[in-house]
Every structure is written in structure tokens, then in C-alpha cells.
Amino acid sequence: MLIEPRDSLIVRDGRPFTNSPGARARSLPFPLPQTLAGAYRSRRGLQEGLRFPEEAERVLSWGVKGPLLAEEGEGGWRLLAPRPLDAVRLGETVYPLAPLEPPEGAGTNLPQDLLPVALEDPSLKEKPGRLPSWWYWENFQNWLLNPHTGFRVEGQDGPVPEVRTHVSLDPSTGTGLEGALFQTQGLEFRVKRERDKESGFGGRLALVLWPEDGVSVEGIHPLGGERRLAYWHSGGPQIPLVPERLVEALLQNRAARLVLLTPAFFHGAYLPEEGRFLGATVVAAAVGRPLVVSGWDLKAGRPKPTRRAVPAGSVYFLRLPQAWGEAEVREWIAGIWFQNLSDREQDRKDGYGLAALGVWSGRPLKWR
């Protein structure tokens, strides 16, 4: 299912926004899964004639996967994935990170005997450069299957921030109030390209959401702050299939990389319960800064507690049990690939923890 914002989309962060002069409403760089899950459930519930919050339990049971980003192209909509955090750009070259085995007698303060991640060549000490925030799926999948030095990244930075300046009006006269200016920041779902000299924008962008039961929402409905409109319709990219090369590599190495496509909540902060993903043990992790997440609980009629989520793009290096046979490995892959992996069931229903898998040899780098 595709969601195309007509106007710039406002998905605010947690900072207060009042009607005082000089106030600024800031937007997140990309909507949180719960924002799209809540909007989808609201529209679908109203279409089915449900009442809120009396039938909240039924509505909350409607699970979703996503959101991810899609770009309109000549051949249709192209899926994009968030930048994996095990890719580092130094100068003009992209390098992969991998677990590093400390020398004998050395250790770290990482929990559960996790290994640090590092570059293969210790002489590389440049300041990391920027990489596109979103990678085209074909390019992202190539990184999953073959992360290597000199990898060519193809992607873009996603929705473009747009700032609008407003003035408060005096209702009695219909004129602006002295000094009562304020700003709102939204996300423009158009591709920013330097070559488009006249408008500065290229193709269209959209949000991709996959309802677990396949029921789409159609029509023009509000989304985000200020009830700005978006076009909801079926179609768009389908969930990618598991590459057979990935299955063969996991069967050979009994090891994998797990990449989060949406933020996730785990009871162990950035680690799942007992440091395992469905039986596979976490060896190392490349994790970004936590996302602070709150919101409004419609059922309870109060704010949700503030929590910290593991950001999208975080990478976990895993080892699978050597005793597993081919059937068990394939079953494990099916339980991970494009499944929501957060520890709590409701977080999984809300779209948190969508995951993809990549190749890893299972052998840490040697200290040198």
C-alpha cells in the first residue's frame, strides 16, 4: 500500500509547540512506525464503522510492516531501505565494518561478551563522510549479499525538509497580530536533485506500508500534524523475496547479519531478550543513537511513556547453532526476513523491528 502526502508532512518530535511568538514545530526526518500504524487503523476503523476507543482492542490487533520509502520511476515504484550502519565512507571509498577479536589478554566493557566492530585495515583513520540516507533496494540487497571495500552506493536522502512561516490572526479584525510569527517544518515528498534546475525537484516519493492481513485503505485522508492530506491507495513495491544466494551462504557459514529496516524496541536496550534472535546469538552490533519515542494513547486517553528505540539501519552480527539442519535454517530465515522482531507483541503489531538478513562469514577480524 502506498501513501503519497499531497502537502508537506508534519511528523513532530517531542519538543513543545505553543502559540507563543517565535515558536517552531520541528519534524522528524521520517515518520515513526506507530504514526503510520495509527493513521491506517483510524481510517480503516472509520470505514468499517467501528467506535473509538470502545473497540480499540480490535483495531490494535491490525498489524503492519513498515513504513519504508518508495520513489516513482519509469518502471513503477522503487523500494528504498535505510542506510545500513555497517557501511562507512572514508574519502571516496565505502568500507564494511565487521566484528573484531581483541588480542589475548585484552577485553572491552561491552555486555554479554560482545565483540567490537571495526574496519579491516587499522591504518584507516579518516573522518567518516556522508552516505545517502536511503539506498535503492537492488543496491541495498547487493550490500547484504556482498559487503566489500569500494562498494558503489546508489540512493538518496529521502523527504526534503520544508519550513513555512505563519502569522497568528486577530479573529476580531482578521489582521495579523504584532510579532506573532511562528514556523512549522514539514517533509516534502519529492526527490531533491541538482540537475532539476527550474523546480529543484525530481520524481515523487511515497511511504510504503504492508498491512499484515492485506486490507488496504483507499482515498484521500489526513496524515500527521495540521491534518494535511495524503493519497492512500493499493499497489507499490511488494515485499522482496529471500535471495537464494543468501540462503546458501547461511547454510554454509551458520552466520548472518541482521539489519533493522524500521526502529525496534528490545528489553535489553539495544539487545533482544537473552541476546538472541529466534535462537541465533548476537556476536557484535553496529547500533546508532537511540530514538526517543512517545505519543498519545487513544485507548487510555493519556500520553504514552517515553521509551528509547534502536534506530533503523542498525546491524547485528549473528551466529546460528551448528546443530541446525537445512530445514531449521530455512525456517529461521522465514521467521526473520521482513518480520517485525521487537520483544513486545504490540510493538511488533505497530511495525517496530522490521528486519532483513545479510551475509557474514562468522569469522571475526584478527587484531593487527
Side-chain angles (χ1 to χ4, degrees):
M1 183 173 68
L2 285 173
I3 304 146
E4 298 183 65
R6 177 186 178 276
D7 302 305
S8 59
L9 176 64
I10 295 179
V11 281
R12 286 187 49 214
D13 59 13
R15 282 173 281 196
F17 178 59
T18 65
N19 60 357
S20 59
R24 290 176 173 84
R26 297 176 176 87
S27 181
L28 297 169
F30 196 73
L32 292 169
Q34 67 187 32
T35 301
L36 271 296
Y40 165 76
R41 291 166 180 156
S42 296
R43 300 316 312 171
R44 179 177 168 184
L46 291 172
Q47 288 182 1
E48 296 186 11
L50 303 183
R51 294 183 302 167
F52 300 100
E54 291 81 3
E55 298 183 83
E57 289 296 333
R58 178 181 173 186
V59 172
L60 289 171
S61 69
W62 294 336
V64 298
K65 295 178 180 180
L68 294 184
L69 191 65
E71 178 185 336
E72 186 183 37
E74 295 181 359
W77 289 93
R78 300 179 66 186
L79 184 65
L80 292 100
R83 175 179 71 89
L85 296 183
D86 63 343
V88 178
R89 177 183 173 183
L90 302 178
E92 297 301 319
T93 306
V94 176
Y95 299 88
L97 295 175
L100 174 67
E101 187 175 318
E104 186 176 353
T108 72
N109 61 354
L110 295 172
Q112 302 186 26
D113 297 323
L114 292 180
L115 299 178
V117 294
L119 297 166
E120 185 175 9
D121 186 349
S123 67
L124 297 170
K125 302 183 184 297
E126 298 179 53
K127 181 179 179 180
R130 288 193 71 257
L131 285 170
S133 301
W134 293 88
W135 296 12
Y136 294 112
W137 180 261
E138 298 80 7
N139 192 240
F140 177 78
Q141 181 172 282
N142 288 339
W143 178 261
L144 295 179
L145 297 176
N146 183 27
H148 61 274
T149 298
F151 185 85
R152 181 178 178 182
V153 175
E154 297 176 0
Q156 47 138 302
D157 286 327
V160 180
E162 183 210 50
V163 177
R164 297 183 182 182
T165 301
H166 313 261
V167 61
S168 295
L169 297 179
D170 185 337
S172 62
T173 63
T175 59
L177 294 172
E178 183 70 25
L181 294 175
F182 63 96
Q183 289 184 337
T184 58
Q185 183 193 72
L187 301 175
E188 184 73 31
F189 274 70
R190 296 293 296 267
V191 183
K192 185 73 172 177
R193 301 192 195 281
E194 293 182 1
R195 66 173 180 267
D196 301 308
K197 296 181 180 179
E198 293 185 3
S199 66
F201 292 99
R204 294 185 297 168
L205 296 175
L207 298 163
V208 187
L209 197 69
W210 295 282
E212 289 185 343
D213 58 7
V215 178
S216 296
V217 171
E218 303 282 344
I220 298 176
H221 307 298
L223 177 65
E226 297 189 354
R227 294 182 61 81
R228 294 184 179 178
L229 299 177
Y231 175 39
W232 300 61
H233 59 101
S234 57
Q238 300 299 309
I239 292 179
L241 299 176
V242 181
E244 190 58 34
R245 281 176 54 196
L246 174 67
V247 178
E248 294 171 357
L250 266 62
L251 287 171
Q252 178 180 350
N253 300 325
R254 294 298 195 272
R257 289 178 295 141
L258 185 151
V259 184
L260 292 178
L261 303 178
T262 62
F265 289 109
F266 300 123
H267 294 323
Y270 63 92
L271 290 173
E273 289 183 307
E274 300 179 358
R276 294 175 179 270
F277 284 100
L278 303 184
T281 303
V282 178
V283 177
V287 178
R289 293 181 178 179
L291 293 176
V292 179
V293 178
S294 183
W296 183 260
D297 190 327
L298 181 62
K299 178 183 176 183
R302 61 172 182 264
K304 294 179 179 179
T306 299
R307 297 187 293 166
R308 291 187 171 188
V310 181
S314 296
V315 180
Y316 295 86
F317 296 84
L318 311 177
R319 281 204 183 101
L320 281 60
Q322 292 294 323
W324 282 1
E326 180 176 345
E328 292 167 304
V329 172
R330 289 183 178 272
E331 182 180 358
W332 181 83
I333 294 173
I336 296 288
W337 184 262
F338 266 77
Q339 302 297 323
N340 296 327
L341 302 180
S342 292
D343 286 341
R344 286 175 45 188
E345 181 181 5
Q346 190 56 54
D347 290 330
R348 296 194 294 271
K349 291 285 186 182
D350 291 345
Y352 282 103
L354 189 67
L357 289 170
V359 171
W360 178 49
S361 67
R363 297 183 296 275
L365 300 174
K366 296 297 183 181
W367 184 278
R368 58 187 179 92

